[in-house]
């Protein structure tokens, strides 16, 4: 393997100091002269017609500068998938969930803005509600949207291979179900947006977003502004996990208020609003029938799925496709039938969340493999090893695996966790379980139909010499993409990490589809590599010309220009550089031409030097309907082993350890790869054991705070072991692919399989709380 | 203290304010809108932790939860109280929240209450024009309700000079930042007859003692005692747990506490 100076190390993040000292500026830290504060009136009704909205009293409140209702909008529908634009900035004649936005106020203080909301009078005509996704599909269920018959946004019907024929070959056939609950993203930073609108018609919005590009487009479309006059800037962001990957109603409202009042307006969600806006994990119901041969060969999978996505479509189409398509890997499964539907109910809207669409499907399939292994009296890890795919294979739904360290990952966790010993030799209440996972490394297609490059990067040499500035639209939301871009650029240019400055997350800088579907390292990393290579080439061409060397012989290593043909004649160049820097302290000590000198001289010769890079995926996927979802230039895969102790009397679960291995292709930054793996395990553990949005019968969220919406605390987290597997992805920069989401895939089933190992009872409803375990044990007479 | 009492008694809408960990949250949620907060944190009579005889302690109401966890005297003489306080909220909240606040707030799931009830603690509070002293078991009258009237002030608690061994078990979903779904606290005298005390938290409108179960424990009939305790509970369904689960775990938790104490 090539020796790298910067890549594959544990370089500190470029934003580390700002984050730990509190110097980093998040959207709510920002303010502008004359800035107003926005507040939003949310619907208290889950389903109602709006008869009237009276803002007259609110307008009279001193300090209120502007109030907007649907009358102030253009009435243009928006959403995530262009085929399902079903949202309005403010409710026009109907509200569909408790939290739907009705009106908004801009006032001189947040207190006045909130007080004004109390003075807005809304008259409703209550409508019957439907909160259950199965009932929502009944013929006589209350209808949320005219266009969605039986409240169904999307159905998917896939049939790959020949399931009926495969059924005849199967020796064991099992059917199981799993139901999950809606989850919250529970990022630490609630959404915030600060918008200003100038006299030339330019709108600038600072926002806590994962996807400045999509937000820019949605604002332009819904507010009727030319796209080039809309700028979206992402300051530091405290986590997103998916719910910040689309344009939020609050962002649009804040822009609307800024346009109406002519003043900058900032709106920041409180925690309850984060829960109401949601756009987090759907509720899933899966039913799977899997058949295998006696020797463990998987024959077929028949899969039904229903998704409850709340009141609007959001990402729902992609979610229901992902729920089916990502079972194509990591096993050799040639016959797969999938029938999925995505439903609307009178609840907060679900969208994408880490492991989009695929997490619960993966959980049930991996649970099924364990149940099948038990029936076959086969070790569940051996059953999986028998079926895993390898690099170069294509799945039944036409996903090509260009690199694939699944076997290596599974063997790594098996060995590191002492699987065989712990599986056979364990006291009562102890259990151990394993599972695998599979995920895209960047969605192969944008959300809107386009052949746009997924990202571009512009790297500019500092005209004064010595450094480069990387300009990118990529959104560092805490996952560390700025550090990745800096490391790739520094490696290519042969300079220090500290001499690379990254400017990112601004729609004025470059295009980037955003931080979702685990795309940034592979895609924006490739573009950054290309841009840096271009800059390097331009510098070396100048130096070659000036020194009479061949450009092919030149390289930049450790911040110095070197030639493979011996020493360069640099005396004239150095003299010129020194004359320019009379009075500057510090002299060049190296015998070689430094990057400082070379970059300045290149500028003197050519003017500003800019390198650009872009990433466009190759044509991917099959020709069947929905084939685009699930495609990716590469696929990550991972395996985990969870060890648990269950108190059989109370049902309390203690996770003792999770050992995970993930194939990220190549680790640009080893610490960040481990961080993503650990974060995934934590999030998966929460979803497996604790996290659940709870509604009352009126559709109100009753645990819309971080006290009663339970996630693991640091004290709940067991020791985590993160093993990096590197399979060298040919389509990724330096062989890199995803780790951000794939690593969550095995966590839930590994824990559930361990709980079964400990208790002998299967629980088909998430989260597996002590209560559900205790009741299952009771039912089993234990 | 008298000054605080006079302000509380004479000012409409004034309420006592200790650590603020409950009051501020409720004010921000708009549930309460007091006209005045009377900050008690520096009232001298409500401060100290002082020994009484060989085993007892008097603890001022403004003692923080962190102090209950860390104070050497409390740790030695009533470790169950330290242990119960350590299960509450998080470090930052424990640094602000007070013993008096936790008791006066009278949540059915208050963690300090069971630990104090099993130690036969007495509560001293100022009411009207005089100090009153009552057993803590008589202090709670319902969820959020105590014998104290508006204008009354909880001043201190006294754990009597009797050696008792005690243990508190808190059933929660997670390890920290969680409220008890069920709390079980058991104590026995170290010298002489056992005279055990069993208190259940979060399964009735107030923390409850279960004398019938205590009598069975004193006779060594732990299985029967555990069943008796489960029968005595009147749990409800809420966001944290179902009544059925609460009742189901009482018996195993009583047995666990028994194994630790005896």
């Amino acid at each position: 393997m090539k020796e790298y100076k910067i890549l594959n190390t544990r370089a500190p993040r470029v934003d580390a100091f700002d984050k730990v000292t509190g110097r980093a500026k998040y959207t709510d830290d920002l303010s502008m002269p004359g800035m107003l504060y926005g507040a939003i009136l949310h619907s208290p009704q889950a389903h109602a017609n709006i008869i009237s909205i009276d803002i007259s009293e609110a307008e009279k409140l001193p300090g209120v500068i502007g109030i907007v209702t649907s009358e102030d909008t253009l009435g243009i529908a928006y959403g995530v998938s262009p085929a399902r634009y079903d949202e309005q900035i403010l409710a026009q004649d109907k509200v569909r969930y408790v939290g739907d936005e009705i009106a908004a106020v801009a006032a001189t203080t947040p207190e006045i803005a909130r007080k004004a909301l109390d003075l807005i009078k809304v008259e409703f005509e209550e409508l019957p509600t439907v909160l259950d996704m199965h009932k929502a599909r009944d013929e006589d269920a209350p209808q949320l949207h005219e266009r969605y018959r039986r409240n169904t946004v999307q159905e998917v019907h896939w049939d790959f291979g020949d399931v009926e024929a495969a059924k005849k070959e199967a020796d064991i056939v099992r059917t199981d179900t799993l139901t999950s609950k809606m989850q919250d993203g529970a990022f630490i930073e609630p959404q915030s947006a600060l918008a200003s609108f100038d006299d030339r018609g330019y709108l600038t919005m600072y926002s806590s977003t994962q996807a400045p590009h999509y937000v820019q487009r949605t604002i332009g479309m819904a507010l009727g502004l030319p796209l080039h006059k809309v700028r979206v800037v992402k300051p530091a962001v405290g986590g997103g996990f998916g719910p910040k990957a689309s344009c939020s109603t609050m962002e649009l409202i804040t822009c609307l208020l800024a346009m109406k009042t002519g003043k900058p307006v900032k709106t920041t969600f409180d925690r309850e609003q984060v829960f109401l806006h949601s756009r987090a994990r759907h509720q899933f119901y899966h039913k799977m029938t899997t058949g295998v041969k006696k020797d463990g060969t998987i024959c077929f999978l028949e899969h039904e799925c229903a998704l409850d996505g709340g009141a609007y479509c959001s990402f729902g189409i992609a979610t229901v496709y992902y729920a089916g398509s990502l079972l194509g890997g990591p096993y050799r499964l040639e016959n797969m039938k999938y029938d999925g539907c995505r439903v609307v109910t009178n609840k907060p809207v679900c969208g994408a969340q880490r492991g989009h669409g695929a997490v619960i499907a993966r959980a049930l399939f991996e649970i099924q493999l364990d149940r099948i292994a038990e029936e076959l009296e086969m070790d569940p890890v051996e059953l999986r090893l028998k079926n895993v795919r390898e690099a170069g294979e294509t799945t039944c739904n036409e996903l090509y695996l260009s690199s694939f360290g699944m076997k290596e990952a599974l063997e790594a966790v098996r060995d590191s966790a002492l699987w065989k010993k712990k599986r056979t030799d364990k006291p009562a209440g102890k259990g151990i379980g394993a599972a695998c996972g599979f995920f895209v490394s960047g969605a192969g297609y944008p959300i809107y139909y386009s052949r746009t490059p997924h990202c571009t990067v512009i790297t500019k040499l500092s005209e004064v010499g010595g450094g480069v500035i990387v300009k990118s639209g990529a959104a560092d939301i805490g996952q560390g993409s700025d550090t990745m871009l800096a490391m790739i650029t520094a490696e290519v240019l042969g300079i220090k990490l500290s001499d690379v400055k990254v400017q990112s997350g601004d729609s004025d800088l470059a295009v980037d589809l955003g931080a979702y579907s685990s795309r940034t390292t592979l895609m924006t990393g490739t573009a950054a590599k290309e841009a840096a290579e271009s800059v390097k080439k331009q510098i070396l061409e100048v130096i070659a010309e000036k020194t009479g060397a061949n450009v092919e012989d030149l390289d930049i290593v450790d911040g110095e220009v070197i030639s493979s043909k011996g020493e360069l004649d640099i005396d004239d160049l150095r003299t010129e550089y020194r004359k320019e820097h009379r009075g500057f302290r510090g002299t060049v000590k190296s015998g070689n031409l430094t990057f400082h000198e070379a970059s300045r001289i290149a500028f003197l010769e050519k003017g500003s030097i800019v390198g650009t890079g872009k990433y466009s995926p190759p044509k991917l996927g099959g020709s069947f309907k929905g084939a685009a979802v699930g495609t990716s230039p590469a696929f990550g895969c991972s395996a985990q082993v969870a060890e648990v102790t269950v108190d059989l009397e109370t049902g309390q679960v203690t996770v003792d350890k999770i050992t995970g291995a993930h194939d990220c292709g190549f680790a640009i930054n080893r610490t960040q790869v481990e961080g993503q793996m650990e974060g995934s395990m934590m999030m998966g553990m929460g979803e497996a054991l604790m996290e659940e949005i709870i509604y009352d019968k009126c559709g109100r969220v009753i645990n819309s705070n971080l006290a009663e919406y339970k996630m693991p605390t640091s004290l709940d987290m067991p020791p985590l072991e993160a093993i990096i597997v590197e399979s060298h992805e040919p389509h990724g920069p330096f062989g890199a692919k995803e780790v951000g989401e794939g690593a969550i895939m095995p966590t839930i089933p590994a824990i559930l399989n361990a709980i079964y190992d400990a208790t002998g009872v299967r629980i088909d409803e998430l989260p597996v709380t002590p209560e559900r375990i205790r009741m299952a044990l009771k039912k089993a007479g234990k | 203290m008298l000054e605080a009492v006079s302000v509380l008694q004479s000012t409409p809408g004034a309420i006592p304010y200790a650590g603020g960990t409950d009051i501020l949250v409720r004010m921000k949620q708009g549930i309460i809108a007091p006209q005045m907060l009377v900050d008690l944190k520096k009232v001298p009579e409500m401060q100290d932790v002082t020994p009484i005889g060989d085993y007892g302690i008097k603890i001022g109401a403004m003692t923080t939860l962190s102090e209950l966890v860390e104070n050497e005297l409390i740790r030695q003489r009533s470790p169950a109280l330290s242990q119960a306080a350590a299960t509450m909220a998080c470090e930052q909240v424990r640094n602000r929240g007070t013993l008096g606040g936790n008791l006066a707030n009278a949540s059915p799931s208050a963690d300090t209450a069971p630990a104090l009830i099993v130690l036969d603690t007495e509560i001293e509070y100022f009411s009207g024009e005089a100090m009153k002293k009552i057993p803590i078991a008589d202090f709670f009258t319902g969820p959020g309700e105590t014998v104290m009237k508006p204008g009354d002030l909880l001043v201190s608690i006294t754990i009597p000079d009797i050696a008792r061994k005690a243990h508190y078990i808190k059933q929660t979903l997670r390890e920290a930042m969680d409220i008890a779904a069920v709390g079980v606290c058991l104590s026995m005298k170290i010298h002489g007859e056992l005279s055990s005390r069993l208190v259940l938290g979060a399964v009735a409108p107030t923390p409850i003692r279960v004398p019938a179960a205590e009598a069975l424990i004193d006779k060594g009939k732990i299985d029967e005692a555990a069943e008796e305790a489960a029968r005595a509970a009147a749990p409800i369904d809420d966001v944290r747990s179902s009544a059925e689960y609460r009742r189901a775990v009482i018996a195993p938790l009583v047995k666990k506490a028994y194994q630790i104490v005896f």
Side-chain angles (χ1 to χ4, degrees):
Chain A
M1 197 179 95
K2 189 179 181 318
E3 282 294 311
Y4 294 109
K5 301 278 182 184
I6 290 170
L7 300 181
N8 212 235
T9 65
R10 297 183 176 279
R13 298 168 61 121
V14 294
D15 56 353
F17 287 105
D18 281 356
K19 291 277 175 72
V20 298
T21 57
R23 213 180 287 143
K25 289 243 185 296
Y26 296 80
T27 304
D28 193 49
D29 294 326
L30 308 177
S31 67
M32 287 183 184
M35 185 178 83
L36 304 175
Y37 296 85
I40 298 169
L41 182 67
H42 297 276
S43 170
Q45 301 282 345
H47 200 190
N49 288 323
I50 296 174
I51 305 299
S52 66
I53 304 173
D54 178 1
I55 60 169
S56 57
E57 288 302 310
E59 276 179 319
K60 288 181 203 153
L61 187 69
V64 170
I65 309 298
I67 299 179
V68 289
T69 65
S70 69
E71 287 180 11
D72 298 278
T73 71
L74 299 172
I76 295 172
Y78 74 97
V80 174
S81 297
R84 298 289 185 282
Y85 283 160
D86 59 5
E87 294 188 59
Q88 287 289 335
I89 301 173
L90 291 159
Q92 278 179 320
D93 42 23
K94 191 172 167 177
V95 288
R96 295 180 176 87
Y97 72 97
V98 175
D100 222 348
E101 297 82 0
I102 296 170
V105 176
T108 50
T109 71
E111 291 75 19
I112 293 172
R114 277 195 295 272
K115 202 169 168 195
L117 297 181
D118 295 337
L119 299 175
I120 299 175
K121 292 186 203 81
V122 185
E123 196 187 333
F124 296 104
E125 177 198 17
E126 281 188 52
L127 296 168
T129 61
V130 59
L131 301 174
D132 177 90
M133 63 169 146
H134 302 294
K135 287 184 188 146
R137 301 199 80 207
D138 288 346
E139 202 59 62
D140 58 350
Q143 182 99 356
L144 268 74
H145 300 258
E146 268 179 36
R147 62 193 293 194
Y148 300 143
R149 209 179 87 76
R150 294 174 70 196
N151 293 310
T152 304
V153 170
Q154 180 77 33
E155 286 189 10
V156 183
H157 302 287
W158 278 341
D159 201 347
F160 302 109
D162 189 341
V163 169
E164 291 309 316
K167 278 183 179 172
K168 292 176 191 127
E169 291 174 15
D171 297 309
I172 290 181
V173 176
R174 268 202 73 102
T175 301
D176 294 287
T177 67
L178 184 65
T179 301
S180 69
K181 300 293 155 52
M182 285 183 188
Q183 223 186 338
D184 187 72
F187 31 78
I188 203 74
E189 182 211 9
Q191 287 95 330
S192 179
L194 165 54
S196 63
F197 187 63
D198 74 14
D199 297 329
R200 296 176 66 223
Y202 280 82
L203 181 90
T204 302
M205 181 177 68
Y206 296 83
S207 183
S208 170
T209 178
Q210 294 176 235
H213 173 74
Y214 289 130
V215 174
Q216 176 196 29
R217 274 181 63 92
T218 309
I219 287 173
M221 181 184 75
L223 297 176
L225 297 171
L227 285 179
H228 70 284
K229 292 190 175 179
V230 179
R231 178 183 174 206
V232 175
V233 187
K234 177 213 69 72
V237 167
F241 310 115
K244 295 178 184 172
S246 56
C247 186
S248 77
T249 326
M250 183 270 276
E251 289 171 315
L252 290 162
I253 287 171
T254 304
C255 292
L256 192 62
L257 287 169
M259 289 168 70
K260 176 153 183 175
T261 62
K263 294 192 171 245
V265 177
K266 182 167 75 178
T267 314
T268 301
F269 273 169
D270 63 22
R271 186 55 68 176
E272 187 185 7
Q273 289 176 299
V274 173
F275 277 84
L276 292 182
H277 183 259
S278 184
R279 317 289 152 144
R281 181 94 73 220
H282 283 67
Q283 180 178 16
F284 294 83
Y285 163 80
H286 291 280
K287 180 179 176 189
M288 292 184 190
T289 302
T290 300
V292 299
K293 290 184 190 168
K294 274 192 196 123
D295 67 357
T297 308
I298 301 171
C299 300
F300 73 91
L301 165 66
E302 231 174 7
H303 175 196
E304 287 171 38
C305 166
L307 278 68
D308 183 351
Y312 297 98
C313 177
S314 179
F315 275 94
I317 298 181
T319 317
V320 69
Y321 276 117
Y322 270 128
S325 69
L326 289 178
L327 290 178
Y331 305 108
R332 292 194 181 108
L333 171 63
E334 303 300 347
N335 308 294
M336 179 168 82
K337 188 168 183 294
Y338 175 58
D339 296 288
C341 67
R342 200 281 196 178
V343 174
V344 285
T345 60
N346 296 113
K347 290 190 286 195
V349 187
C350 304
Q353 189 169 327
R354 198 181 215 158
H356 189 185
V359 171
I360 306 302
R362 171 60 47 199
L364 179 57
F365 191 62
E366 296 288 325
I367 289 167
Q368 277 218 301
L369 290 182
D370 261 41
R371 297 181 189 188
I372 287 164
E374 189 182 27
E375 286 188 35
L376 289 170
E377 295 181 10
M378 202 170 168
D379 180 300
V381 169
E382 292 306 315
L383 174 70
R384 287 176 171 85
L385 282 172
K386 188 176 171 56
N387 287 285
V388 293
R389 287 193 184 275
E390 289 174 14
E393 295 187 37
T394 301
T395 70
C396 66
N397 51 338
E398 298 181 54
L399 309 177
Y400 175 67
L401 311 176
S402 39
S403 63
F404 212 57
M406 187 67 257
K407 182 166 172 280
E408 293 78 1
L410 188 51
E411 287 173 345
V413 294
R414 176 195 67 190
D415 297 343
S416 188
L418 306 175
W419 166 264
K420 283 184 178 149
K421 182 179 176 296
K422 286 184 182 161
R423 183 82 183 174
T424 48
D425 179 20
K426 60 179 167 40
K430 293 263 182 199
I432 184 167
C436 293
F438 173 73
F439 201 69
V440 297
S441 186
Y445 294 87
I447 289 166
Y448 58 96
Y449 182 83
S450 173
R451 60 186 190 91
T452 173
H454 287 210
C455 53
T456 57
V457 168
I458 300 164
T459 297
K460 183 168 80 86
L461 203 58
S462 297
E463 284 82 354
V464 291
V468 292
I469 303 169
V470 179
K471 294 169 187 286
S472 153
D476 193 328
I477 55 169
Q479 88 281 34
S481 58
D482 282 354
T483 303
M484 176 275 295
L485 294 174
M487 289 176 78
I488 285 179
T489 303
E491 183 73 45
V492 169
L493 281 167
I495 60 177
K496 281 191 275 186
L497 192 55
S498 57
D499 290 327
V500 180
K501 182 162 146 185
V502 177
Q503 296 174 339
S504 66
D506 181 337
S507 62
D508 269 4
L509 292 175
V511 73
D512 198 293
L513 297 187
Y516 73 100
S517 81
S518 296
R519 70 194 315 120
T520 309
T521 295
L522 189 148
M523 297 187 177
T524 319
T526 296
K529 180 169 178 273
E530 192 178 303
E533 283 166 350
S534 162
V535 167
K536 182 179 176 180
K537 182 164 172 278
Q538 293 179 61
I539 298 169
L540 292 180
E541 277 169 358
V542 171
I543 302 305
E545 197 189 315
K546 285 281 176 186
T547 59
N550 282 322
V551 70
E552 297 77 34
D553 300 332
L554 301 182
D555 198 1
I556 306 171
V557 177
D558 292 336
E560 296 180 357
V561 179
I562 57 163
S563 166
S564 57
K565 297 279 160 60
E567 273 191 32
L568 293 169
D569 180 6
I570 60 166
D571 290 350
D572 291 350
L573 297 179
R574 180 153 286 172
T575 305
E576 184 180 17
Y577 184 84
R578 283 189 174 163
K579 277 186 181 164
E580 264 203 349
H581 290 82
R582 194 163 287 149
F584 282 69
R585 287 214 177 167
T587 49
V588 182
K589 292 206 176 68
S590 170
N592 293 321
L593 192 69
T594 65
F595 179 77
H596 274 255
E597 294 168 314
S599 54
R600 174 66 182 170
I601 286 156
F603 163 72
L604 295 176
E605 211 60 32
K606 293 185 66 174
S608 288
I609 289 179
V610 170
T612 64
K614 69 176 170 63
Y615 182 82
S616 290
K619 178 163 170 22
L620 296 165
S623 54
F624 55 91
K625 185 176 187 313
V629 186
T631 60
S632 179
F635 292 88
C637 53
S638 49
Q640 285 170 22
V641 167
E643 297 167 54
V644 303
T645 304
V646 182
D647 183 323
L648 299 174
E649 288 181 316
T650 62
Q652 193 79 32
V653 178
T654 307
V655 179
D656 299 317
K657 190 177 178 190
I658 304 176
T659 307
H662 183 87
D663 171 19
C664 65
F666 170 74
I668 301 288
N669 184 313
R670 300 189 73 82
T671 305
Q672 289 193 180
V673 170
E674 290 166 0
Q676 286 290 341
M677 292 173 68
E678 289 170 4
S680 289
M681 294 182 210
M682 182 270 185
M683 195 177 254
M685 184 175 137
E687 191 165 1
L689 301 176
M690 300 175 187
E691 295 183 39
E692 169 174 11
I693 305 264
I694 305 172
Y695 298 92
D696 68 10
K697 60 182 190 304
C698 303
R700 290 179 294 224
V701 180
I702 58 170
N703 60 340
S704 57
N705 58 69
L706 296 180
E708 293 304 343
Y709 178 83
K710 301 281 188 335
M711 314 153 54
T713 67
S714 55
L715 293 179
D716 294 284
M717 289 312 294
L720 303 173
E721 186 183 346
I723 302 166
I724 297 172
V725 175
E726 295 178 310
S727 63
H728 298 277
E729 166 56 43
H731 301 122
F734 304 95
K737 57 183 177 180
E738 71 89 28
V739 62
E741 299 180 80
I744 197 177
M745 292 293 159
T747 310
I748 296 171
I751 290 172
L752 263 63
N753 287 338
I755 290 172
Y756 173 76
D757 190 43
T759 62
V761 293
R762 296 287 190 189
I763 294 143
D764 296 326
E765 185 180 357
L766 292 177
V768 184
T769 56
E771 179 157 353
R772 292 200 174 101
I773 294 180
R774 182 57 236 152
M775 295 313 164
L777 284 163
K778 189 179 163 195
K779 213 172 142 193
K782 294 187 183 183
Chain B
M1 182 194 71
L2 290 175
E3 201 182 334
V5 169
S6 101
V7 173
L8 281 168
Q9 289 178 347
S10 62
T11 316
I15 62 167
Y17 176 89
T21 56
D22 284 298
I23 284 176
L24 289 181
V25 175
R26 276 185 254 173
M27 283 172 66
K28 285 191 174 170
Q29 290 173 340
I31 297 168
I32 55 169
Q35 297 304 299
M36 181 192 278
L37 297 176
V38 181
D39 192 342
L40 305 173
K41 278 198 283 293
K42 298 226 169 115
V43 173
E45 294 89 335
M46 302 170 79
Q47 300 299 326
D48 298 334
V49 178
T50 44
I52 296 171
D54 292 333
Y55 304 107
I57 330 178
K58 183 172 178 174
I59 304 176
M62 286 306 102
T63 303
T64 64
L65 301 170
S66 288
E67 185 72 8
L68 297 183
V69 178
E70 288 157 18
N71 184 289
E72 266 313 306
L73 194 67
I74 299 173
R75 289 170 70 93
Q76 280 167 15
R77 296 193 170 197
S78 35
L81 178 60
S82 297
Q83 181 218 337
T87 67
M88 294 173 67
C90 61
E91 187 95 31
Q92 292 92 325
V93 170
R94 289 196 296 269
N95 285 341
R96 301 294 297 175
T98 64
L99 174 63
N102 191 231
L103 294 174
N105 210 30
S107 163
S109 57
D111 292 298
T112 58
L116 291 173
I117 298 171
V118 300
L119 298 174
D120 291 342
T121 301
E122 289 184 310
I123 283 195
E124 295 97 24
Y125 67 101
F126 196 89
S127 179
E129 296 178 340
M131 287 292 284
K132 290 189 178 170
K133 192 166 188 171
I134 60 162
I136 188 171
D138 300 336
F139 180 69
F140 303 105
T141 54
E145 289 169 14
T146 70
V147 295
M148 294 199 301
K149 296 184 292 293
D152 291 2
L153 213 52
L154 198 165
V155 178
S156 60
I157 61 115
T158 299
I159 298 170
D161 185 17
I162 299 162
R164 276 188 173 272
K165 193 178 174 199
H167 188 76
Y168 177 63
I169 297 178
K170 176 177 179 176
Q171 176 68 29
T172 54
L173 183 55
R174 63 180 173 190
E175 291 289 321
M177 302 286 292
D178 208 349
I179 293 169
V182 176
V184 168
C185 199
L186 178 65
S187 79
M188 61 154 199
K189 272 166 67 178
I190 292 174
H191 309 295
E193 61 191 9
L194 288 180
S195 186
S196 62
R197 301 274 184 270
L198 177 67
V199 173
L200 308 178
V203 292
T206 68
I208 53 165
R209 254 186 79 178
V210 194
E214 293 169 358
L216 289 163
I217 291 171
D218 290 344
K219 288 182 197 151
K221 296 179 176 172
I222 181 59
D223 288 347
E224 287 171 47
E227 294 310 319
E228 186 61 41
R231 269 195 296 278
I236 58 163
D237 293 321
D238 70 9
V239 65
R240 284 181 286 280
S241 238
S242 70
E244 189 187 3
Y245 177 70
R246 287 190 156 106
R247 199 185 289 281
V249 294
I250 291 171
L253 292 181
V254 168
K255 287 185 216 173
K256 260 190 195 103
Y258 180 85
Q259 280 162 10
I260 292 166
V261 173
F262 286 80

